[in-house]
């Protein structure tokens, strides 16, 4: 069990906090709105009406013991920045921050935040990828310039081994796992001699450029 602090209980913060709590983690949720705190109080370990831009307030709750703090404040840039600075002052080892614009992201990067997320942008990108490629089951941004995709095996790959389709050398894309029809039947780091069939789903990791080139190739 890990200890999480979620600051900001909009849609993103609410769903993140409640999901982590359902997974068995210790979750403290903070927001300035009594209404939002009331709505989540029965779904997390502790819900507190507090202003995360006030360093003294954060110290009172002893949050320096949390493993990860997530700043989900997006609408007010100044509040997001102050919350991050306060968490850094308290020595929180892992800080994740939500950004709502590229300038916001740049400021967070200047503050030294290593993990920055764009919930709306990432969701829109994932949907665009899937709409653009019917074989694509899911897409997740991995790091700058890289992504992870779930790809239904295209017809031209069926009956061929991983060695034969040679995705690594041709596109710079790595097959990290293969899911079968049964959700529990997943092969991680599959062998090169694995022969693909129509029930397989490929989990691929690679640069965006390589993934896009692969997408174009299988659509021809």
């Amino acid at each position: 069990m890990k200890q999480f602090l979620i600051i900001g209980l909009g849609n993103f913060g609410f769903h993140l906090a409640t999901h982590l709590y359902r997974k068995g983690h210790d979750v403290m949720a903070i927001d300035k709105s009594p209404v939002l705190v009331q709505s989540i109080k029965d779904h997390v370990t502790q819900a507190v009406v507090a202003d995360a831009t006030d360093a003294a307030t954060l110290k009172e709750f002893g949050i320096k013991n949390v493993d990860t703090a997530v700043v989900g404040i997006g609408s007010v840039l100044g509040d997001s920045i102050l919350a991050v600075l306060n968490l850094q002052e308290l020595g929180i080892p892992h800080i994740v921050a939500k950004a709502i614009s590229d300038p916001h992201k740049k400021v967070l990067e200047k503050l030294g935040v290593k993990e920055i997320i764009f919930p709306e942008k990432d969701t829109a990108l994932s949907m665009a990828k899937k709409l653009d490629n019917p074989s694509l089951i899911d897409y997740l941004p991995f790091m700058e310039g890289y992504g992870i995709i779930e790809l239904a095996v295209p017809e031209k790959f069926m009956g061929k081994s991983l060695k034969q389709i040679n995705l690594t050398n041709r596109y710079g894309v790595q097959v990290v796992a293969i899911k079968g029809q049964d959700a529990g039947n997943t092969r991680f780091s599959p062998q090169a001699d694995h022969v693909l069939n129509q029930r397989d789903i490929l989990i691929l990791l690679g640069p965006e450029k390589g993934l896009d080139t692969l997408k174009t190739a299988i659509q021809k």
Side-chain angles (χ1 to χ4, degrees):
M1 182 178 69
K2 294 183 179 180
Q3 292 183 310
F4 292 94
L5 170 68
I6 310 299
I7 297 174
L9 298 177
N11 287 330
F12 169 74
F14 180 91
H15 291 295
L16 178 62
T18 54
H19 183 73
L20 288 170
Y21 181 70
R22 287 197 300 270
K23 289 294 184 179
H25 298 293
D26 187 348
V27 180
M28 174 185 283
I30 288 179
D31 199 284
K32 291 190 290 186
S33 167
V35 174
L36 293 177
V37 170
Q38 178 67 22
S39 70
I40 203 174
K41 69 180 183 67
D42 294 328
H43 307 286
V44 293
T45 310
Q46 184 178 6
V48 179
V49 178
D51 184 356
T53 67
D54 184 345
T57 298
L58 291 181
K59 289 180 181 178
E60 288 179 7
F61 295 114
I63 65 166
K64 63 181 180 180
N65 296 319
V66 302
D67 299 296
T68 297
V70 181
V71 180
I73 304 169
S75 58
V76 182
L77 181 60
D79 286 358
S80 171
I81 294 170
L82 284 173
V84 168
L85 289 172
N86 288 337
L87 293 171
Q88 290 175 332
E89 284 291 321
L90 290 170
I92 303 302
H94 184 205
I95 300 173
V96 180
K98 171 186 173 182
I100 59 170
S101 66
D102 287 329
H104 189 181
K105 178 185 176 184
K106 290 178 180 178
V107 171
L108 292 171
E109 288 174 337
K110 291 291 185 181
L111 293 176
V113 179
K114 303 299 183 183
E115 193 167 350
I116 302 169
I117 52 177
F118 279 88
E120 293 84 0
K121 180 179 178 180
D122 291 344
T123 300
L125 181 58
S126 178
M127 178 59 68
K129 293 278 187 181
K130 287 189 281 187
L131 291 174
D132 182 49
N133 183 0
S135 297
L136 185 63
I137 297 171
D138 201 3
Y139 166 85
L140 291 171
F142 178 65
M143 56 183 291
E144 191 68 32
Y146 287 78
I148 298 175
I149 66 172
E150 286 192 13
L151 183 72
V153 173
E155 187 174 351
K156 62 175 58 180
F157 287 175
M158 292 179 189
K160 296 181 179 180
S161 67
L162 293 179
K163 182 178 181 179
Q164 288 175 306
I165 64 175
N166 198 20
L167 298 183
T168 301
N169 290 331
R170 293 171 66 187
Y171 307 106
V173 174
Q174 180 71 40
V175 181
V176 295
I178 297 176
K179 292 168 61 176
Q181 187 176 34
D182 181 357
N185 184 21
T186 300
R187 298 188 181 191
F188 294 94
S189 300
Q191 298 297 312
D193 60 359
H194 176 87
V195 177
L196 299 170
N197 62 67
Q198 63 180 353
R199 296 182 177 181
D200 285 338
I201 296 174
L202 302 175
I203 312 297
L204 307 174
L205 167 64
E208 296 284 358
K209 184 177 180 180
L211 294 172
D212 287 341
T213 302
L214 171 60
K215 177 203 70 176
T216 301
I218 63 178
Q219 288 179 335
K220 291 182 178 179

